[in-house]
Amino acid sequence: MSELRNLIGGTWQVGEAEALTSTSPANGETVAEGKAASEAQAVAAVAAAHEAFASWKRKSFEERREVIERFAGIAKDRRDEMARLIARETGKALWDATTEAGAIGGKAALALQSYEERTPTKEKDQGALTLRITHKPHGVMVVIGPFNFPGHLPNGQIIPSLLAGNTVVFKPSEQTPAVGQLMAEWWQEAGLPEGCLNLVHGGREPAEALIADERIAGVLFTGGVEAGRAIHKQLAGRPDVMLALELGGNNPLIVWDVKDAEDAAQIIVRSAYITSGQRCTCARRLIVQEGEGGDRIVAAVAALIGRLTVGDPLAEDQPFMGPLINEGAVQKALAAQDQLMADGAEPLVLMTDDGPGPAYVRPGLLDVTKMKSDPDEEVFAPLLKVIRVASFDEAIERANDTKFGLAAALLSDDASLWQRFAVEIEAGIVNWNRQTTGASGAMPFGGPGLSGNHRPAGAYAADFVAWPMASMIAEGPLKDDQAVPGVKK
Ligand SMILES: NC(=O)C1=CN([C@@H]2O[C@H](COP(=O)(O)OP(=O)(O)OC[C@H]3O[C@@H](n4cnc5c(N)ncnc54)[C@H](O)[C@@H]3O)[C@@H](O)[C@H]2O)C=CC1
Ligand SMILES: O=C(O)CCC(=O)N[C@@H](CCC(=O)O)C(=O)O
């Protein structure tokens, strides 16, 4: 068990607010404990980041890059240690946690590439003038992380922020503080100067204190739509603060004209149930053809659910999925399923809580076709809703019938359907014959609607961590041909 501490200006401090315990959802083991940061400590973290900004932004790009590459080296060397911690703290199966831990080390190279592609210095000769575009860091970036990817997702905002010359105050999810703390330790080991990365533990209170501070220049948030809206409101009237919101989804997956139902089921299961359905990119709605075409797909998915293993994330014989983040999440997911059934959904495979512990659920599949209205909400659990429709037009209409717009996929043998889908679907991550999950870090990550505020992360994170400066540069004086009427020399 490790002790939770807050990193403020290079010093590890015991928190001054309420007790904070990180418990493994797999077996109730205490992973880490300590205390959350007080409001005063959150403010001190912003002050430290603000002070450090003055010198970090003046470092050469090469100096910043060296620190980031040292961090990436540590992350690569200690990938397995991080993977075990992620598995213990989130309940993710070790193979899944290892993928996340690997992505932490891999982010540096991707961020360097994005920096060069999205925010390079550019010059253009225009006669007596040179037109130059350069990019500058904003200042103190507050990074607020979710529990489901406690390392990879905040890291995907921290690395680009630091690379561009910003400093950071990181508040990991209160449900996964130990992973956040290990990353902060690695930054120290990598030689990042004091104050450039600060760590503040706790939930909503320290987050609000950070956001309220006049000295912050940005808030980079990944989490649910409710918290996203609250932050958006808190920052109303602060156009000077860069806000990047990466929120949830109600992602559709259309299956149309596929010969191999078993292959399709493999992709559907990876879309809906990976990480126990706790990915913002998970498919929540499966849209199929009425009649035999759809029946074959639904039957193949139901059969495959019966073969999915749910169990101890660290077991030698690795399960497909582990528990949800906690028992409360199980109760919430089961209540959502009960409500759907009370409103007319038909169970094909019930999501049940008869796993090896109180935080476990087994995947569920509900047919919501006959419901009068299916609520447009994200149930953050392994629950997939089946919708049967008569035509491909109707399939696209139903897929787009959401306030969200994060991910969508089409499984089809017909390339012309993919061409239509790609044009008509309203989502930021749109795949053909691949799962909705597992987005590539070499591409932008985000989508329209309530899934964010048009500040995609992934490869486009470079855009929200720097602002462009446009310069007209002339080495000589104004020429006679640039005279304007009424201004005499
Ligand atoms: N679009 C994306 O890139 C991703 C989105 N998500 C979304 O995140 C959610 C799951 O993660 P959770 O950790 O449960 O999300 P959450 O919204 O409950 O918490 C996320 C973070 O926000 C903080 N927070 C909560 N309320 C706040 C408030 N009013 N003001 C400021 N901070 C606040 C929490 O302490 C935590 O650090 C899902 O909805 C999922 O779809 C998750 C991963 C990626
Ligand atoms: O930012 C990146 O490097 C890519 C984004 C990414 O890895 N997304 C993952 C997880 C995000 C989530 O669903 O919570 C994915 O697409 O599965």
Side-chain angles (χ1 to χ4, degrees):
M1 201 240 326
S2 59
E3 188 193 358
L4 294 173
R5 289 187 181 219
N6 302 276
L7 180 61
I8 300 172
T11 309
W12 289 97
Q13 295 186 12
V14 172
E16 292 165 353
E18 75 280 359
L20 184 63
T21 304
S22 159
T23 307
S24 173
N27 55 18
E29 164 210 14
T30 299
V31 178
E33 61 187 4
K35 283 185 171 180
S38 62
E39 191 180 325
Q41 286 178 308
V43 168
V46 175
H50 191 249
E51 198 185 325
F53 177 58
S55 54
W56 182 246
K57 72 174 179 189
R58 289 193 175 84
K59 296 249 186 252
S60 70
F61 177 74
E62 281 313 313
E63 283 173 296
R64 293 201 297 267
R65 176 193 180 130
E66 272 172 29
V67 177
I68 283 148
E69 285 181 338
R70 278 201 298 275
F71 171 86
I74 296 169
K76 283 176 188 161
D77 291 347
R78 293 171 63 182
R79 184 198 69 168
D80 292 350
E81 174 192 344
M82 178 59 93
R84 287 190 78 79
L85 185 59
I86 292 172
R88 284 168 65 215
E89 204 168 41
T90 64
K92 244 179 229 196
L94 188 59
W95 64 267
D96 196 2
T98 302
T99 307
E100 177 176 1
I104 297 173
K107 184 50 90 175
L110 286 166
L112 282 161
Q113 191 186 328
S114 294
Y115 183 95
E116 279 160 18
E117 283 174 14
R118 308 286 305 171
T119 53
T121 295
K122 278 191 196 162
E123 288 195 349
K124 192 175 169 192
D125 263 352
Q126 207 173 66
L129 284 180
T130 301
L131 303 184
R132 189 171 75 188
I133 305 170
T134 50
H135 294 85
K136 296 212 163 167
H138 294 279
V140 178
M141 305 303 263
V142 173
V143 174
I144 301 178
F147 77 80
N148 69 329
F149 274 82
H152 169 52
L153 290 176
N155 182 58
Q157 294 171 326
I158 292 169
I159 288 189
S161 293
L162 292 173
L163 190 60
N166 303 278
T167 55
V168 172
V169 180
F170 172 32
K171 194 209 75 65
S173 165
E174 62 276 34
Q175 312 201 67
T176 52
V179 170
Q181 185 159 316
L182 186 57
M183 287 211 300
E185 286 167 13
W186 287 355
W187 280 112
Q188 268 199 321
E189 271 181 60
L192 183 69
E194 284 181 4
C196 288
L197 185 282
N198 303 273
L199 178 78
V200 165
H201 284 303
R204 186 176 172 153
E205 292 77 16
E208 285 177 347
L210 295 172
I211 297 165
D213 197 300
E214 288 293 321
R215 291 164 296 186
I216 65 163
V219 177
L220 312 181
F221 174 80
T222 311
V225 70
E226 201 185 317
R229 278 186 201 274
I231 294 171
H232 195 262
K233 279 192 189 140
Q234 199 186 341
L235 285 172
R238 292 222 43 201
D240 52 317
V241 176
M242 164 57 70
L243 175 62
L245 297 172
E246 315 299 336
L247 309 177
N250 187 12
N251 309 308
L253 174 50
I254 300 180
V255 185
W256 212 266
D257 291 346
V258 292
K259 270 203 202 83
D260 194 327
E262 174 58 28
D263 255 14
Q266 289 285 339
I267 298 176
I268 294 163
V269 157
R270 284 163 170 73
S271 299
Y273 305 131
I274 193 167
T275 321
S276 306
Q278 298 174 115
R279 290 199 191 195
C280 55
T281 45
C282 277
R284 309 294 177 194
R285 296 176 292 142
L286 174 63
I287 303 172
V288 298
Q289 286 162 289
E290 278 175 5
E292 196 269 334
D295 289 347
R296 277 189 313 119
I297 302 299
V298 172
V301 175
L304 185 51
I305 289 175
R307 302 197 299 273
L308 296 178
T309 56
V310 181
D312 177 2
L314 293 172
E316 205 169 309
D317 188 9
Q318 281 284 283
F320 169 66
M321 59 185 247
L324 294 189
I325 188 65
N326 55 40
E327 211 179 324
V330 172
Q331 297 316 320
K332 205 170 150 193
L334 292 176
Q337 176 175 256
D338 288 348
Q339 189 60 53
L340 285 165
M341 290 198 302
D343 293 343
E346 292 165 18
L348 300 166
V349 180
L350 261 188
M351 183 170 59
T352 56
D353 60 353
D354 59 343
Y360 286 86
V361 282
R362 295 188 193 281
L365 189 64
L366 297 184
D367 192 329
V368 299
T369 310
K370 292 188 184 142
M371 283 181 76
K372 280 210 185 75
S373 90
D374 162 30
D376 183 19
E377 286 163 6
E378 178 191 55
V379 177
F380 213 53
L383 183 65
L384 181 63
K385 297 188 263 187
V386 174
I387 301 167
R388 300 168 193 264
V389 295
S391 66
F392 193 67
D393 283 345
E394 197 188 341
I396 291 187
E397 197 181 310
R398 291 298 294 267
N400 280 337
D401 186 16
T402 172
K403 302 185 290 296
F404 296 94
L406 189 58
L410 169 71
L411 310 187
S412 178
D413 301 336
D414 184 344
S416 69
L417 293 185
W418 160 244
Q419 273 142 24
R420 275 192 59 197
F421 185 72
V423 170
E424 291 173 32
I425 196 75
E426 301 283 335
I429 297 149
V430 175
N431 299 336
W432 181 32
N433 291 333
R434 281 295 175 274
Q435 62 268 30
T436 52
T437 53
S440 162
M443 296 199 286
F445 185 72
L450 285 185
S451 294
N453 66 334
H454 304 286
R455 304 268 182 215
Y460 280 22
D463 298 28
F464 57 65
V465 296
W467 50 272
M469 182 175 87
S471 304
M472 288 190 283
I473 302 164
E475 289 198 358
L478 279 174
K479 301 256 170 63
D480 285 348
D481 63 356
Q482 290 167 321
V484 287
V487 182
K488 288 190 179 152
K489 265 203 170 173

